[in-house]
Short mmCIF file of all heavy atoms in Angstrom, two decimals:
data_model
loop_
_atom_site.label_atom_id
_atom_site.label_comp_id
_atom_site.label_asym_id
_atom_site.label_seq_id
_atom_site.Cartn_x
_atom_site.Cartn_y
_atom_site.Cartn_z
N ILE A 1 0.10 5.54 15.91
CA ILE A 1 -0.65 4.91 14.83
C ILE A 1 -1.94 4.32 15.38
O ILE A 1 -1.93 3.69 16.45
CB ILE A 1 0.16 3.78 14.15
CG1 ILE A 1 1.43 4.33 13.53
CG2 ILE A 1 -0.69 3.06 13.11
CD1 ILE A 1 2.38 3.24 13.06
N MET A 2 -3.02 4.49 14.67
CA MET A 2 -4.28 3.83 14.96
C MET A 2 -4.69 3.13 13.66
O MET A 2 -4.67 3.74 12.60
CB MET A 2 -5.35 4.83 15.40
CG MET A 2 -4.94 5.65 16.61
SD MET A 2 -6.09 7.01 17.00
CE MET A 2 -7.46 6.10 17.73
N ALA A 3 -5.06 1.87 13.76
CA ALA A 3 -5.31 1.12 12.54
C ALA A 3 -6.33 0.00 12.77
O ALA A 3 -6.62 -0.39 13.91
CB ALA A 3 -4.01 0.52 12.01
N TRP A 4 -6.85 -0.47 11.67
CA TRP A 4 -7.71 -1.66 11.64
C TRP A 4 -7.05 -2.71 10.77
O TRP A 4 -6.63 -2.43 9.65
CB TRP A 4 -9.10 -1.35 11.09
CG TRP A 4 -9.96 -0.54 12.00
CD1 TRP A 4 -10.17 0.80 11.97
CD2 TRP A 4 -10.76 -1.05 13.08
NE1 TRP A 4 -11.04 1.18 12.96
CE2 TRP A 4 -11.42 0.06 13.66
CE3 TRP A 4 -10.98 -2.32 13.60
CZ2 TRP A 4 -12.29 -0.06 14.74
CZ3 TRP A 4 -11.84 -2.45 14.69
CH2 TRP A 4 -12.48 -1.33 15.25
N TYR A 5 -6.97 -3.91 11.29
CA TYR A 5 -6.54 -5.07 10.54
C TYR A 5 -7.69 -6.07 10.52
O TYR A 5 -8.64 -5.97 11.30
CB TYR A 5 -5.32 -5.72 11.19
CG TYR A 5 -4.02 -4.96 11.01
CD1 TYR A 5 -3.74 -3.83 11.76
CD2 TYR A 5 -3.07 -5.40 10.08
CE1 TYR A 5 -2.55 -3.13 11.59
CE2 TYR A 5 -1.87 -4.71 9.91
CZ TYR A 5 -1.63 -3.58 10.67
OH TYR A 5 -0.44 -2.91 10.51
N ARG A 6 -7.60 -7.02 9.62
CA ARG A 6 -8.60 -8.08 9.59
C ARG A 6 -7.95 -9.40 9.23
O ARG A 6 -6.90 -9.44 8.59
CB ARG A 6 -9.73 -7.75 8.61
CG ARG A 6 -9.33 -7.78 7.15
CD ARG A 6 -10.49 -7.34 6.28
NE ARG A 6 -10.17 -7.39 4.86
CZ ARG A 6 -10.96 -6.94 3.90
NH1 ARG A 6 -12.14 -6.41 4.21
NH2 ARG A 6 -10.60 -7.03 2.63
N GLN A 7 -8.61 -10.46 9.64
CA GLN A 7 -8.12 -11.79 9.33
C GLN A 7 -9.30 -12.66 8.95
O GLN A 7 -10.18 -12.93 9.77
CB GLN A 7 -7.37 -12.40 10.52
CG GLN A 7 -6.69 -13.71 10.20
CD GLN A 7 -5.70 -14.13 11.28
OE1 GLN A 7 -5.75 -13.64 12.40
NE2 GLN A 7 -4.79 -15.01 10.93
N ALA A 8 -9.30 -13.08 7.70
CA ALA A 8 -10.34 -13.97 7.20
C ALA A 8 -9.97 -15.41 7.52
O ALA A 8 -8.79 -15.73 7.72
CB ALA A 8 -10.53 -13.77 5.70
N PRO A 9 -10.94 -16.30 7.55
CA PRO A 9 -10.65 -17.71 7.83
C PRO A 9 -9.60 -18.28 6.88
O PRO A 9 -9.72 -18.14 5.66
CB PRO A 9 -12.00 -18.39 7.63
CG PRO A 9 -13.00 -17.32 7.94
CD PRO A 9 -12.38 -16.07 7.37
N GLY A 10 -8.57 -18.88 7.43
CA GLY A 10 -7.54 -19.49 6.63
C GLY A 10 -6.55 -18.53 6.00
O GLY A 10 -5.69 -18.96 5.22
N LYS A 11 -6.65 -17.25 6.32
CA LYS A 11 -5.76 -16.26 5.74
C LYS A 11 -4.98 -15.53 6.83
O LYS A 11 -5.33 -15.57 8.01
CB LYS A 11 -6.54 -15.26 4.91
CG LYS A 11 -7.23 -15.85 3.69
CD LYS A 11 -7.89 -14.76 2.86
CE LYS A 11 -8.53 -15.34 1.62
NZ LYS A 11 -9.18 -14.27 0.81
N SER A 12 -3.93 -14.85 6.41
CA SER A 12 -3.13 -14.07 7.35
C SER A 12 -3.79 -12.72 7.62
O SER A 12 -4.65 -12.27 6.87
CB SER A 12 -1.72 -13.87 6.80
OG SER A 12 -1.75 -13.18 5.57
N ARG A 13 -3.37 -12.10 8.69
CA ARG A 13 -3.91 -10.80 9.04
C ARG A 13 -3.41 -9.74 8.07
O ARG A 13 -2.23 -9.71 7.72
CB ARG A 13 -3.50 -10.45 10.47
CG ARG A 13 -4.21 -9.25 11.06
CD ARG A 13 -3.94 -9.13 12.55
NE ARG A 13 -4.43 -10.29 13.28
CZ ARG A 13 -4.39 -10.40 14.61
NH1 ARG A 13 -3.89 -9.43 15.35
NH2 ARG A 13 -4.85 -11.50 15.20
N GLU A 14 -4.31 -8.87 7.62
CA GLU A 14 -3.95 -7.85 6.66
C GLU A 14 -4.42 -6.48 7.12
O GLU A 14 -5.40 -6.34 7.85
CB GLU A 14 -4.56 -8.16 5.29
CG GLU A 14 -6.07 -8.12 5.26
CD GLU A 14 -6.65 -8.27 3.86
OE1 GLU A 14 -5.90 -8.12 2.87
OE2 GLU A 14 -7.86 -8.56 3.75
N LEU A 15 -3.71 -5.46 6.66
CA LEU A 15 -4.06 -4.09 6.99
C LEU A 15 -5.31 -3.67 6.23
O LEU A 15 -5.41 -3.86 5.02
CB LEU A 15 -2.91 -3.15 6.64
CG LEU A 15 -3.19 -1.66 6.83
CD1 LEU A 15 -3.33 -1.32 8.31
CD2 LEU A 15 -2.07 -0.82 6.21
N VAL A 16 -6.24 -3.08 6.94
CA VAL A 16 -7.45 -2.53 6.34
C VAL A 16 -7.32 -1.03 6.16
O VAL A 16 -7.54 -0.49 5.07
CB VAL A 16 -8.69 -2.85 7.19
CG1 VAL A 16 -9.93 -2.18 6.60
CG2 VAL A 16 -8.88 -4.35 7.31
N ALA A 17 -6.97 -0.34 7.22
CA ALA A 17 -6.83 1.11 7.19
C ALA A 17 -5.94 1.56 8.33
O ALA A 17 -5.89 0.92 9.38
CB ALA A 17 -8.19 1.79 7.28
N ARG A 18 -5.26 2.67 8.11
CA ARG A 18 -4.29 3.14 9.10
C ARG A 18 -4.27 4.66 9.15
O ARG A 18 -4.37 5.34 8.13
CB ARG A 18 -2.90 2.61 8.75
CG ARG A 18 -1.74 3.31 9.42
CD ARG A 18 -0.44 2.66 9.03
NE ARG A 18 0.71 3.45 9.44
CZ ARG A 18 1.96 3.03 9.43
NH1 ARG A 18 2.23 1.78 9.02
NH2 ARG A 18 2.94 3.83 9.81
N ILE A 19 -4.10 5.18 10.35
CA ILE A 19 -3.93 6.61 10.59
C ILE A 19 -2.60 6.82 11.31
O ILE A 19 -2.33 6.19 12.32
CB ILE A 19 -5.06 7.19 11.46
CG1 ILE A 19 -6.39 7.15 10.71
CG2 ILE A 19 -4.74 8.62 11.87
CD1 ILE A 19 -7.56 7.60 11.57
N ASP A 20 -1.79 7.72 10.77
CA ASP A 20 -0.56 8.12 11.44
C ASP A 20 -0.85 9.40 12.22
O ASP A 20 -1.51 10.31 11.71
CB ASP A 20 0.57 8.37 10.44
CG ASP A 20 0.99 7.11 9.71
OD1 ASP A 20 0.90 6.03 10.31
OD2 ASP A 20 1.40 7.21 8.54
N ILE A 21 -0.35 9.46 13.44
CA ILE A 21 -0.67 10.55 14.34
C ILE A 21 0.58 11.17 14.92
O ILE A 21 1.51 10.47 15.31
CB ILE A 21 -1.59 10.06 15.48
CG1 ILE A 21 -2.88 9.48 14.90
CG2 ILE A 21 -1.90 11.19 16.45
CD1 ILE A 21 -3.73 8.76 15.91
N ASP A 22 0.58 12.48 15.00
CA ASP A 22 1.67 13.23 15.61
C ASP A 22 1.06 14.23 16.58
O ASP A 22 0.38 15.16 16.16
CB ASP A 22 2.52 13.94 14.56
CG ASP A 22 3.70 14.68 15.17
OD1 ASP A 22 4.05 14.41 16.33
OD2 ASP A 22 4.28 15.53 14.47
N ARG A 23 1.30 14.01 17.84
CA ARG A 23 0.78 14.88 18.89
C ARG A 23 -0.73 15.11 18.77
O ARG A 23 -1.22 16.23 18.89
CB ARG A 23 1.54 16.21 18.89
CG ARG A 23 2.96 16.09 19.45
CD ARG A 23 3.80 17.31 19.20
NE ARG A 23 4.22 17.41 17.81
CZ ARG A 23 5.04 18.35 17.34
NH1 ARG A 23 5.52 19.27 18.15
NH2 ARG A 23 5.37 18.35 16.06
N GLY A 24 -1.44 14.03 18.53
CA GLY A 24 -2.89 14.06 18.48
C GLY A 24 -3.49 14.42 17.15
O GLY A 24 -4.71 14.30 16.97
N ALA A 25 -2.67 14.85 16.21
CA ALA A 25 -3.17 15.26 14.89
C ALA A 25 -2.91 14.18 13.85
O ALA A 25 -1.83 13.60 13.80
CB ALA A 25 -2.52 16.57 14.48
N VAL A 26 -3.89 13.93 13.01
CA VAL A 26 -3.74 12.97 11.93
C VAL A 26 -2.85 13.56 10.85
O VAL A 26 -3.15 14.63 10.30
CB VAL A 26 -5.10 12.59 11.33
CG1 VAL A 26 -4.91 11.65 10.14
CG2 VAL A 26 -5.98 11.95 12.38
N THR A 27 -1.76 12.88 10.54
CA THR A 27 -0.83 13.35 9.54
C THR A 27 -0.94 12.58 8.22
O THR A 27 -0.55 13.09 7.18
CB THR A 27 0.61 13.25 10.04
OG1 THR A 27 0.94 11.89 10.35
CG2 THR A 27 0.80 14.09 11.30
N HIS A 28 -1.46 11.37 8.27
CA HIS A 28 -1.58 10.56 7.07
C HIS A 28 -2.59 9.46 7.28
O HIS A 28 -2.73 8.93 8.39
CB HIS A 28 -0.22 9.97 6.68
CG HIS A 28 -0.22 9.27 5.37
ND1 HIS A 28 -0.30 7.89 5.26
CD2 HIS A 28 -0.15 9.74 4.10
CE1 HIS A 28 -0.29 7.55 3.99
NE2 HIS A 28 -0.20 8.66 3.26
N THR A 29 -3.29 9.11 6.20
CA THR A 29 -4.27 8.04 6.23
C THR A 29 -4.06 7.16 5.01
O THR A 29 -3.87 7.67 3.90
CB THR A 29 -5.70 8.59 6.22
OG1 THR A 29 -5.89 9.49 7.31
CG2 THR A 29 -6.71 7.45 6.33
N ASN A 30 -4.09 5.86 5.19
CA ASN A 30 -3.98 4.97 4.05
C ASN A 30 -4.87 3.75 4.23
O ASN A 30 -5.24 3.39 5.36
CB ASN A 30 -2.53 4.56 3.77
CG ASN A 30 -1.92 3.71 4.88
OD1 ASN A 30 -2.14 2.50 4.92
ND2 ASN A 30 -1.17 4.35 5.76
N TYR A 31 -5.21 3.12 3.11
CA TYR A 31 -6.12 1.98 3.10
C TYR A 31 -5.56 0.83 2.30
O TYR A 31 -4.76 1.03 1.37
CB TYR A 31 -7.46 2.39 2.48
CG TYR A 31 -8.21 3.45 3.24
CD1 TYR A 31 -8.00 4.80 2.97
CD2 TYR A 31 -9.12 3.10 4.22
CE1 TYR A 31 -8.68 5.78 3.67
CE2 TYR A 31 -9.81 4.07 4.92
CZ TYR A 31 -9.58 5.41 4.64
OH TYR A 31 -10.27 6.38 5.34
N GLY A 32 -5.98 -0.36 2.65
CA GLY A 32 -5.65 -1.49 1.83
C GLY A 32 -6.36 -1.38 0.49
O GLY A 32 -7.45 -0.81 0.40
N ASP A 33 -5.75 -1.92 -0.54
CA ASP A 33 -6.32 -1.79 -1.88
C ASP A 33 -7.74 -2.33 -1.99
O ASP A 33 -8.57 -1.79 -2.72
CB ASP A 33 -5.42 -2.50 -2.90
CG ASP A 33 -4.11 -1.79 -3.12
OD1 ASP A 33 -4.02 -0.58 -2.81
OD2 ASP A 33 -3.16 -2.44 -3.59
N SER A 34 -8.02 -3.39 -1.28
CA SER A 34 -9.32 -4.04 -1.40
C SER A 34 -10.47 -3.25 -0.80
O SER A 34 -11.64 -3.55 -1.07
CB SER A 34 -9.27 -5.43 -0.76
OG SER A 34 -9.02 -5.35 0.62
N VAL A 35 -10.17 -2.24 0.01
CA VAL A 35 -11.23 -1.48 0.68
C VAL A 35 -11.27 -0.02 0.27
O VAL A 35 -12.15 0.72 0.72
CB VAL A 35 -11.13 -1.59 2.21
CG1 VAL A 35 -11.09 -3.05 2.65
CG2 VAL A 35 -9.91 -0.84 2.74
N LYS A 36 -10.36 0.41 -0.56
CA LYS A 36 -10.32 1.80 -0.99
C LYS A 36 -11.63 2.20 -1.66
O LYS A 36 -12.14 1.50 -2.51
CB LYS A 36 -9.15 2.04 -1.94
CG LYS A 36 -7.79 2.00 -1.28
CD LYS A 36 -6.67 2.24 -2.29
CE LYS A 36 -5.32 2.22 -1.61
NZ LYS A 36 -4.21 2.40 -2.58
N GLY A 37 -12.15 3.34 -1.24
CA GLY A 37 -13.40 3.83 -1.80
C GLY A 37 -14.63 3.29 -1.10
O GLY A 37 -15.74 3.78 -1.35
N ARG A 38 -14.46 2.31 -0.24
CA ARG A 38 -15.60 1.72 0.46
C ARG A 38 -15.53 1.92 1.98
O ARG A 38 -16.57 2.06 2.62
CB ARG A 38 -15.69 0.23 0.16
CG ARG A 38 -15.90 -0.09 -1.31
CD ARG A 38 -16.19 -1.58 -1.52
NE ARG A 38 -15.07 -2.42 -1.09
CZ ARG A 38 -15.14 -3.33 -0.12
NH1 ARG A 38 -16.28 -3.53 0.52
NH2 ARG A 38 -14.08 -4.05 0.19
N PHE A 39 -14.33 1.90 2.53
CA PHE A 39 -14.15 2.03 3.97
C PHE A 39 -13.55 3.38 4.32
O PHE A 39 -12.78 3.95 3.54
CB PHE A 39 -13.22 0.94 4.51
CG PHE A 39 -13.78 -0.46 4.48
CD1 PHE A 39 -14.96 -0.75 3.82
CD2 PHE A 39 -13.10 -1.49 5.12
CE1 PHE A 39 -15.46 -2.04 3.79
CE2 PHE A 39 -13.59 -2.77 5.10
CZ PHE A 39 -14.77 -3.06 4.44
N THR A 40 -13.88 3.87 5.50
CA THR A 40 -13.32 5.12 5.98
C THR A 40 -12.89 4.96 7.44
O THR A 40 -13.69 4.54 8.27
CB THR A 40 -14.32 6.27 5.88
OG1 THR A 40 -14.74 6.44 4.53
CG2 THR A 40 -13.70 7.57 6.37
N ILE A 41 -11.64 5.28 7.71
CA ILE A 41 -11.14 5.23 9.08
C ILE A 41 -11.14 6.64 9.65
O ILE A 41 -10.83 7.61 8.95
CB ILE A 41 -9.72 4.61 9.14
CG1 ILE A 41 -9.28 4.41 10.59
CG2 ILE A 41 -8.72 5.45 8.36
CD1 ILE A 41 -7.98 3.63 10.73
N SER A 42 -11.49 6.76 10.90
CA SER A 42 -11.51 8.06 11.54
C SER A 42 -11.35 7.89 13.04
O SER A 42 -11.53 6.79 13.58
CB SER A 42 -12.81 8.81 11.23
OG SER A 42 -13.93 8.12 11.75
N LYS A 43 -11.01 8.96 13.70
CA LYS A 43 -10.92 8.92 15.15
C LYS A 43 -11.82 10.00 15.74
O LYS A 43 -12.06 11.03 15.11
CB LYS A 43 -9.48 9.08 15.64
CG LYS A 43 -8.87 10.45 15.49
CD LYS A 43 -7.43 10.45 16.01
CE LYS A 43 -6.82 11.84 15.99
NZ LYS A 43 -7.42 12.71 17.06
#
């Protein structure tokens, strides 16, 4: 797994975007609801 999390002041850490990987290949990508359509994760 390769992912980005973030933590705003006074808040808990939350998932921003995540990539699931199997033998070097991306098998799945997902985003937190608040960033969908605006952020893109890639390797």
Side-chain angles (χ1 to χ4, degrees):
I1 299 170
M2 303 171 76
W4 288 97
Y5 287 77
R6 69 184 182 187
Q7 187 167 19
K11 296 184 178 181
S12 60
R13 191 170 298 184
E14 65 174 344
L15 175 68
V16 176
R18 163 178 169 168
I19 293 175
D20 295 328
I21 300 170
D22 182 16
R23 287 168 286 185
V26 177
T27 60
H28 187 260
T29 304
N30 66 82
Y31 297 89
D33 290 339
S34 64
V35 306
K36 289 180 179 177
R38 299 188 298 118
F39 291 10
T40 301
I41 187 172
S42 63
K43 72 180 185 72

